């Protein structure tokens, strides 16, 4: 595997993010694998920005721990991201020559480049970002032809002179390298078929459309709003609609109403919104109305860190709402997996008439990642509709708890649905026996879901000295860590439940039995995943270790490896 | 169903309301209005929140949804947008609509959502046994205002007009026929129609409520211009007088009109988008 991670840092107008976009799209075209992340200062517009692009010849599952090549247009901007950008030991740093590097940049490969002057000479005074791409392409063996084509495409709507001057800037960058030292690594790859480049939120929106969602209601919230944006553009084109509601109470209310009226409906939100939706989750659960809530976790509680990732909405997703409230919780472990998780969420919601929460987090939702177009396919399941309406009972007791549903507009299917406890016909009841029977009915559906959806992923050898249990965005990092540990000869494996409620407990127990030491890894200070596991699975206390820390910074592959070695290496090698 | 008679809209569920509750009158008016408009029960959805009056959907032969406190309007909005052919009627009390659900009232009206919203207004919290509501007059003693209500009341009709409702009326539950006529107008209106029905709570506001309200009833004067917002100023927030009738009525494009317009703008008569179109922004095609 050949890979390099680039970071470009600048101020608004420097084009750091635009350069990252062009680079990523070009690499995607030539079949390389890319994960691109962006970070911004607190300003709404302008201000400092940083774009990190990991490029690899083989499939990757997480951001890289370290940056191999750094472009800095302005060191003051870099200071803002200093704690987030870790440089690899042989990192190559190119900075604006007029802005000398601070002494703490401890690598002997720091080079001043007159980006501004060179770009001006090339006839593209605003093209220093493009010029930088030329330098990177030449130094690191990036697909120059694809980058040139991506530049032409990027500026295609502008005058030909703009395209030409930017291409000239790129070429000037390439030429400039003749006077530069060479990095120790270059990208080695074979050009293959193009990939799509998408974010988790974009994949979720496409999956929703594919799953048959035709109504979306939502309230803007970072980091989930891109789902609203995409669906606002596309749903009207296919006979659907979006509603930007006054708050999240209304968002999930409208989803419940739309679904009750027979249309697959969804909302997207983040922690604060999910908190507001709690009561309505209970209504969807007791009234047995399909509803999909895509929740992008961010740092919490309260407003927390809206632009950073964390895995701390887990307990809320599992248990939010008063009363005994069955719901299904699925998780997304990377951008590609977001597709399967979203379609599965609709399928489960529709088939079992239950609210489904699709849990992801900022790191997956907002990073752009290359995916193979053919992975965006999944079977779609439709709602069980009551076609025979003689003696119709909306909440008829059935073997798997699912009662076929009539839809408003269907003659003879009329019923009243209810947040009040109700009998088989939907009539309110405060009788204990009705309540008990109906609770049983509603929870029966979870058993049916558990049987049909044993969604999990397992990496590493079948027998291992150490096994990691993790979920969601940690999975990608853990997967890469496992690969490295295995390559070092350490028998480490990992188990990632993709469905969290109902949890595939039996499979987890089998996994626990197949490993000597157990390590739970999560980005939650209060160990929400570990605590949840303990309620569902017999966790062996004397051989379970927990690595749980606050989010706000991506989990690192090196960090996981370190923990594995710290907690379990002696046992593993013994 | 035997034609469209008021009785044919009645379910076999017996109302939980207290004897003398104004909501019986509202329910009877609704049966009558639905029958006279020949509304198809299975094309109708009646959504409510929580409260005494929110039990109403169970008593109407239609698709019913007794939902959460304050949330009838978002649910009704979702149902209507998802399935615009449905006739969607939201019902509930004054506490449900003006207190806990006030924000949704504002936005459902502002959007001119194609809904009829019927508020059964008893100026009190009945189900929770007699606390002050935002509609309870200042000074009134209730379970939660031992020394008299310190807060001024709001008039839901005045709110609805200021929020942008395109049809606003007020009725009295004791006048079943007159209220049914108002309901017919509200249901037939294109856009967001709000009907405030003074519906006495004899249990928590006293046995004399019907008599007292009846004494306060007035109708709008001849020549009243219901197309002007300001006309209603003199007939809302009145002290010691309750004016019934159509207070405000204008025509504006509705939310469904706008959504259809958006679909046309987005797609027009072009070929439906392909999967390739959908993924275009993410495809490196250069």
């Amino acid at each position: 595997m050949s890979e390099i991670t680039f970071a470009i840092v600048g101020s608004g107008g420097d084009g750091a993010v635009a350069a990252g976009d062009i680079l990523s799209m070009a690499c995607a075209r030539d079949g390389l694998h890319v994960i691109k992340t962006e970070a911004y200062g607190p300003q709404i517009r302008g201000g400092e920005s940083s774009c990190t692009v990991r490029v690899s010849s083989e499939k990757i599952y997480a951001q890289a721990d370290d940056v191999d090549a750094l472009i800095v247009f302005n060191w003051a901007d870099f200071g803002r991201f200093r704690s987030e950008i870790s440089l690899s030991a042989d990192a190559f740093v190119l900075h604006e020559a007029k802005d000398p590097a601070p002494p703490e940049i401890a690598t002997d490969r720091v080079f001043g480049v007159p980006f501004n002057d060179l770009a001006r000479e090339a006839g593209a005074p605003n093209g220093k970002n493009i010029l930088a791409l030329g330098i990177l392409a030449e130094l690191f063996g990036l697909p120059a032809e694809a980058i040139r084509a991506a530049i032409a495409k990027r500026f295609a709507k502008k005058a030909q002179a703009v395209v030409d001057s930017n291409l000239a800037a790129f070429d000037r960058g390439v030429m400039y390298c003749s006077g530069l030292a060479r990095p120790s690594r270059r990208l080695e790859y074979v050009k293959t078929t193009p990939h799509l480049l998408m974010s988790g939120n974009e994949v979720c929106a496409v999956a929703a459309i594919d799953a048959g969602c035709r109504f979306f209601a939502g309230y803007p919230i970072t980091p989930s709003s891109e789902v609203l944006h995409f669906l606002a553009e596309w749903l009207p084109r296919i006979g659907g609609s979006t509603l930007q509601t006054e708050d999240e109470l209304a968002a999930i209310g409208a989803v419940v109403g739309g679904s009750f009226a027979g249309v697959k409906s969804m909302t997207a939100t983040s922690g604060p919104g999910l908190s507001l939706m709690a009561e309505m989750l209970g209504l969807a659960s007791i009234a047995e109305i399909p509803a999909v809530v895509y929740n992008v976790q961010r740092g919490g509680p309260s407003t927390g860190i809206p632009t950073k990732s964390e895995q701390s909405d887990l307990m809320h997703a599992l248990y939010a709402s008063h009363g005994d409230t069955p719901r299904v919780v699925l998780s997304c472990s990377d951008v590609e997996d977001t597709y399967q998780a979203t379609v599965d969420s609709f399928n489960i919601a529709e088939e079992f008439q239950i609210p489904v929460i699709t849990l992801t987090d900022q790191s997956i939702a907002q990073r752009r990642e290359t995916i193979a177009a053919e992975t965006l396919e999944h079977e779609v399941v439709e709602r069980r509709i009551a076609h025979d309406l003689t003696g119709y009972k909306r909440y008829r007791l059935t073997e798997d708890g699912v009662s076929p549903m009539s839809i408003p507009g269907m003659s003879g299917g009329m019923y009243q649905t209810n947040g009040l406890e109700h009998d088989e016909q939907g009539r309110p009841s405060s009788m204990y026996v009705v309540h008990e029977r109906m609770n049983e009915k509603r929870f029966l559906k979870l058993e049916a879901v558990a049987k049909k959806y044993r969604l999990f992923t397992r990496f590493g050898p079948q027998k291992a000295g150490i096994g990691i249990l993790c979920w969601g965005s940690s999975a990608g990092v853990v997967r890469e860590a496992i690969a490295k540990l295995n390559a070092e000869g350490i028998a480490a494996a990992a188990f990632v439940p993709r469905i969290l409620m109902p949890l595939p407990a039996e499979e987890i127990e089998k996994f626990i039995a197949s490993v000597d030491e157990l390590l739970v890894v999560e980005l939650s200070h209060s160990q929400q995943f570990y605590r949840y596991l303990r309620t569902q699975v017999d966790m062996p206390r004397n051989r379970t270790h927990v690595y749980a820390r606050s989010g706000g910074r991506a989990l690192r592959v090196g960090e996981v490896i370190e923990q594995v070695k710290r907690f379990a290496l002696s046992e593993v090698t013994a | 169903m035997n034609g469209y008679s008021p009785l044919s809209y009645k379910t076999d569920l017996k109302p939980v309301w207290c004897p003398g509750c104004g909501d019986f009158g509202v329910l009877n008016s609704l049966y009558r209005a639905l029958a006279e408009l020949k509304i198809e029960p299975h094309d109708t959805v009646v959504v409510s929140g929580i409260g005494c009056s929110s039990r109403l959907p169970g008593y109407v032969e239609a698709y019913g949804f007794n939902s959460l406190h304050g949330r009838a309007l978002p649910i009704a909005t979702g149902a209507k947008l998802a399935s615009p052919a449905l006739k969607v009627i939201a019902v509930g009390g004054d506490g449900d609509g003006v207190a806990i659900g006030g924000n949704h009232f504002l936005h459902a009206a502002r959007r001119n959502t194609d809904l009829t919203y019927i508020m059964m207004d008893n100026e009190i919290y009945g189900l929770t046994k007699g606390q002050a509501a935002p509609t309870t007059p200042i000074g009134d003693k209730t379970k939660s205002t031992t020394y008299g209500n310190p807060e001024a009341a709001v008039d839901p009709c005045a709110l609805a007009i200021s929020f942008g409702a395109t049809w606003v009326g007020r009725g009295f539950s004791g006048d079943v026929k007159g209220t049914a006529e108002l309901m017919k107008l509200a249901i037939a209106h294109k856009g967001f129609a709000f009907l405030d029905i003074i519906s006495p709570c004899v249990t928590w506001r006293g046995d004399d409520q019907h008599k007292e309200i009846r004494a306060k009833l007035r109708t709008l004067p001849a020549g009243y211009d219901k197309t002007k917002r300001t006309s209603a100023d003199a007939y809302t927030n009145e002290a010691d007088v309750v004016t019934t009738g159509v207070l405000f009525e204008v025509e504006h494009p509705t939310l469904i009109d706008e959504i259809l317009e958006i679909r046309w703008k987005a797609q027009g008569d072009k070929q439906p988008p392909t999967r390739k179109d959908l993924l275009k922004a993410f495809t490196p095609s250069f």
Side-chain angles (χ1 to χ4, degrees):
Chain A
M1 178 157 134
S2 169
E3 64 159 300
I4 297 169
T5 295
F6 305 91
I8 309 171
V9 180
S11 303
D14 283 346
V17 172
D21 282 341
I22 290 169
L23 172 59
S24 302
M25 265 301 203
C27 291
R29 194 205 78 172
D30 278 8
L32 283 156
H33 300 268
V34 173
I35 290 178
K36 185 189 78 151
T37 57
E38 292 164 20
Y40 297 91
Q43 299 88 342
I44 304 301
R45 209 184 172 108
E48 61 277 8
S49 59
S50 131
C51 183
T52 304
V53 183
R54 181 182 182 196
V55 182
S56 166
S57 62
E58 278 165 50
K59 186 145 173 67
I60 43 179
Y61 300 92
Q63 310 170 219
D65 287 359
D66 303 318
V67 166
D68 305 308
L70 173 69
I71 301 263
V72 178
F73 292 125
N74 181 332
W75 285 107
D77 294 329
F78 177 77
R80 163 74 178 72
F81 301 107
R82 184 67 194 98
S83 66
E84 293 166 25
I85 296 177
S86 155
L87 296 175
S88 62
D90 60 350
F92 213 81
V93 179
L94 300 163
H95 65 93
E96 170 56 48
K98 285 181 187 147
D99 189 8
E104 68 267 23
I105 299 299
T107 155
D108 52 0
R109 292 152 186 271
V110 180
F111 305 95
V113 177
F115 289 113
N116 282 310
D117 292 346
L118 291 172
R120 208 172 299 119
E121 279 168 38
N126 296 323
K128 65 180 169 191
N129 57 337
I130 305 296
L131 184 116
L133 283 180
I135 296 176
L136 293 178
E138 177 64 13
L139 289 179
F140 292 94
L142 295 171
E145 191 273 318
I147 295 173
R148 290 184 103 257
I151 292 167
K153 166 101 178 191
R154 173 100 184 181
F155 298 105
K157 285 192 181 141
K158 304 205 169 164
Q160 185 60 37
V162 176
V163 176
D164 293 343
S165 63
N166 276 285
L167 288 173
F170 179 84
D171 295 339
R172 184 69 189 87
V174 172
M175 267 164 49
Y176 181 79
C177 293
S178 58
L180 271 180
R182 293 284 148 169
S184 48
R185 276 190 286 156
R186 272 172 72 85
L187 196 66
E188 306 292 337
Y189 69 99
V190 179
K191 183 177 167 180
T192 58
T193 50
H195 292 130
L196 298 172
L197 188 70
M198 297 178 80
S199 72
N201 282 340
E202 288 159 348
V203 166
C204 167
V206 168
I209 287 174
D210 286 357
C213 173
R214 291 298 176 268
F215 179 61
F216 176 94
Y219 186 78
I221 186 167
T222 302
S224 82
S225 298
E226 291 85 359
V227 180
L228 166 65
H229 304 165
F230 189 84
L231 293 176
E233 180 184 350
W234 287 92
L235 280 182
R237 296 192 60 187
I238 52 176
S241 53
T242 53
L243 179 70
Q244 184 181 322
T245 52
E246 54 272 27
D247 54 29
E248 286 90 349
L249 306 167
I252 187 161
V255 164
V256 165
S259 182
F260 170 73
V263 174
K264 291 187 187 179
S265 305
M266 165 194 214
T267 185
T269 189
S270 183
L274 189 65
S275 289
L276 289 184
M277 292 179 186
E279 189 187 14
M280 193 69 77
L281 282 174
L283 176 67
S285 192
I286 193 171
E288 304 192 48
I289 295 173
V292 176
V293 178
Y294 170 79
N295 182 64
V296 184
Q297 299 171 99
R298 62 190 219 188
S302 189
T303 309
I305 312 181
T307 54
K308 300 279 177 65
S309 240
E310 195 161 78
Q311 297 183 289
S312 52
D313 292 355
L314 176 62
M315 285 297 187
H316 192 62
L318 293 168
Y319 299 118
S321 212
H322 57 279
D324 294 317
T325 311
R327 95 285 312 274
V328 171
V329 180
L330 296 186
S331 70
C332 307
S333 38
D334 55 40
V335 172
E336 193 177 285
D337 183 48
T338 302
Y339 187 87
Q340 309 297 322
T342 305
V343 180
D344 275 334
S345 295
F346 276 98
N347 288 350
I348 294 170
E350 292 292 322
E351 183 176 0
F352 298 96
Q353 301 173 19
I354 197 167
V356 178
I357 298 169
T358 322
L359 269 186
T360 185
D361 60 46
Q362 185 275 334
S363 74
I364 295 172
Q366 293 194 317
R367 77 180 183 221
R368 279 222 163 93
E369 193 172 308
T370 40
I371 48 180
E374 61 269 19
T375 61
L376 302 188
E377 268 174 34
H378 193 55
E379 181 203 3
V380 171
V381 177
E382 299 302 331
R383 193 177 295 188
R384 277 190 234 172
I385 300 292
H387 293 293
D388 178 10
L389 292 167
T390 42
Y392 177 62
K393 287 182 183 167
R394 166 65 185 96
Y395 298 104
R396 187 187 293 280
L397 299 173
T398 61
E399 211 167 297
D400 63 356
V402 181
S403 328
M405 197 168 172
S406 64
I407 302 296
M410 285 170 67
S411 173
M414 289 173 292
Y415 68 96
Q416 185 198 200
T417 191
N418 230 309
L420 286 160
E421 187 56 280
H422 44 260
D423 63 14
E424 287 182 89
Q425 271 148 315
R427 292 179 303 206
S429 171
S430 50
M431 307 272 287
Y432 160 75
V433 272
V434 173
H435 184 44
E436 181 172 57
R437 203 172 297 147
M438 284 297 163
N439 262 335
E440 279 168 12
K441 169 200 194 303
R442 292 188 290 264
F443 274 90
L444 209 52
K445 297 191 289 186
L446 281 188
E447 288 176 27
V449 173
K451 253 183 231 155
K452 187 166 173 182
Y453 290 89
R454 299 188 178 206
L455 305 175
F456 66 89
T457 319
R458 195 191 188 285
F459 319 117
Q462 288 307 308
K463 281 262 172 212
I466 182 160
I468 299 177
L469 271 165
C470 64
W471 73 281
S473 62
S474 298
V477 179
V478 166
R479 186 176 185 149
E480 297 206 0
I482 295 279
K484 286 198 169 163
L485 287 162
N486 292 167
E488 279 182 46
I490 296 172
F495 186 98
V496 184
R498 293 174 55 240
I499 185 164
L500 299 168
M501 173 82 91
L503 193 72
E506 215 177 290
E507 283 79 3
I508 292 178
E509 277 167 0
K510 273 186 216 156
F511 175 75
I512 293 173
S514 75
V515 299
D516 298 333
E517 295 292 312
L518 201 57
L519 174 64
V520 178
V521 173
E522 61 179 313
L523 290 184
S524 153
H525 176 82
S526 65
Q527 312 182 328
Q528 293 188 16
F529 183 53
Y530 170 61
R531 284 161 185 248
Y532 175 53
L533 286 172
R534 281 187 57 189
T535 67
Q536 304 283 309
V537 178
D538 190 11
M539 300 285 280
R541 287 258 189 141
N542 56 351
R543 55 188 181 98
T544 301
H545 313 271
V546 180
Y547 182 65
R549 69 156 168 88
S550 296
R553 185 189 195 195
L555 188 66
R556 294 162 61 87
V557 173
E559 194 177 359
V560 175
I561 291 174
E562 190 187 312
Q563 294 304 322
V564 166
K565 292 182 175 174
R566 179 180 152 208
F567 285 123
L569 191 58
S570 52
E571 290 87 345
V572 173
T573 48
Chain B
M1 197 168 110
N2 305 325
Y4 299 93
S5 74
L7 273 181
S8 65
Y9 290 89
K10 196 170 177 301
T11 62
D12 55 4
L13 215 56
K14 190 174 167 294
V16 293
W17 299 323
C18 308
C21 176
D23 294 349
F24 285 106
V26 178
L27 181 60
N28 284 326
S29 298
L30 185 60
Y31 291 151
R32 194 188 274 246
L34 292 171
E36 290 179 18
L37 291 173
K38 296 187 173 23
I39 301 279
E40 208 57 75
H42 65 254
D43 289 333
T44 307
V45 174
V46 185
V47 187
S48 68
I50 292 296
C52 297
S53 54
S54 283
R55 288 288 193 128
L56 184 136
Y59 313 140
V60 181
E61 192 67 25
Y63 282 89
F65 198 148
N66 184 179
S67 74
L68 295 182
H69 199 24
R71 314 294 164 225
L73 287 171
I75 290 175
T77 302
K80 183 70 186 179
L81 293 194
S83 189
L86 296 173
K87 178 62 79 182
V88 182
I89 301 170
V91 301
D94 44 308
D96 188 77
V98 176
I100 191 167
N103 195 28
H104 308 311
F105 186 15
L106 156 57
H107 293 281
R110 173 181 68 82
R111 294 181 186 114
N112 199 22
T113 317
D114 311 55
L115 299 174
T116 309
Y117 181 28
I118 296 171
M119 185 176 284
M120 283 158 266
D121 182 352
N122 57 9
E123 304 184 337
I124 195 85
Y125 282 91
L127 191 66
T128 49
K129 303 195 190 302
Q131 299 82 3
T135 43
T136 304
I138 192 164
D140 278 18
K141 288 185 178 171
T142 72
K143 282 253 191 93
S144 60
T145 54
T146 315
Y147 305 104
N149 180 16
E151 301 173 15
V154 291
D155 180 341
C157 289
L159 289 182
I161 294 169
S162 69
F163 290 165
T166 50
W167 191 100
V168 177
R170 182 161 15 237
F172 170 54
S173 66
D175 174 14
V176 172
K177 192 161 174 280
T179 298
E181 290 306 315
L182 287 170
M183 282 182 180
K184 280 161 67 181
L185 294 172
I187 292 170
H189 176 72
K190 203 167 160 294
F192 188 80
F194 173 70
L195 179 57
D196 180 50
I197 304 174
I198 305 299
S199 178
C201 175
V202 292
T203 302
W204 303 109
R205 299 282 292 161
D207 290 335
D208 293 338
Q209 273 289 291
H210 282 279
K211 221 188 297 171
E212 283 170 17
I213 291 165
R214 210 174 275 281
K216 292 189 202 171
L217 288 179
R218 301 284 185 281
T219 50
L220 288 163
Y224 176 81
D225 184 358
K226 64 185 177 187
T227 63
K228 276 209 186 99
R229 279 165 189 252
T230 49
S231 306
D233 287 351
Y235 304 98
T236 48
N237 288 309
E238 294 170 291
D240 305 320
V241 171
V242 174
T243 303
T244 60
V246 182
L247 292 162
F248 184 63
E249 182 179 9
V250 285
E251 257 200 52
H252 280 307
T254 70
L255 184 57
I256 296 288
D257 291 338
E258 296 292 351
I259 280 173
L260 294 177
E261 175 73 22
I262 282 169
R263 282 190 194 155
W264 180 253
K265 264 190 224 161
Q267 190 59 23
D269 47 9
K270 291 192 289 271
Q271 287 287 314
T274 62
R275 193 173 171 74
K276 207 174 147 194
D277 296 331
L278 192 67
L279 297 177
K280 194 171 168 222
F282 317 118
T283 309
S285 50
F286 44 82

